Amino acid sequence: MDFNIFMGDVVEAARKEIKEAGYTELQTPESVEETLEKEGTTLVMVNSTCGCAGGVARPAAASAIHYDKRPNQLVTVFAGQDREATEKAREYFKGYAPSSPSFALLKDGEILKMVERHEIEGHSPVEVVNKLQQLFDAYCEEV
C-alpha cells in the first residue's frame, strides 16, 4: 500500500472522529484567531496521528464534554496537517512547549492550563477525562 494513501486515510479518520465528537475544526490561522479571541472559555484539542491521539486523546475529548460544566467552545487544530493553523493556535499557549496531542483551555483568548502529551501518553482515556473535567470544574460554567 502506498504510504501517502494510507496516511491520508488515517488523517481523514482522525479528523472525522473529533468532528463527530462535537469539535469544530480550525484549518487556517484566520479561523484560529477569530475563534480563540471570542469571549468565554475554549478547549482546543491539538490533534495528531500518533497512537496516543487515537487511543487516548480523541476518546477522552469525546467523553470529557458530557459533564455538568464544559467550555463554551470546543475546537481542534491538526498538528502536522494544518501547520499554519496549529502554529497560530500555539501562539496562544504561552509558557507551554509545542505538544501533540494536547489540550489547551483558554478564557477570552488567554491560556489557563494545558494537558500536555506527557499527561496523555501512557495514561488511560479515563485519566485524561478526569484531568479535563477538573479543569472544567475550575474554569467553566454549568451548561
Side-chain angles (χ1 to χ4, degrees), residues 61-81:
S63 294
I65 59 175
H66 300 285
Y67 195 61
D68 293 340
K69 293 183 177 184
R70 70 178 236 190
N72 302 112
Q73 299 184 101
L74 304 169
V75 300
T76 184
V77 294
F78 207 128
Q81 301 302 313

Side-chain angles (χ1 to χ4, degrees), residues 41-57:
T41 52
T42 303
L43 181 66
V44 181
M45 191 272 181
V46 180
N47 203 356
S48 72
T49 58
C50 71
C52 64
V56 180

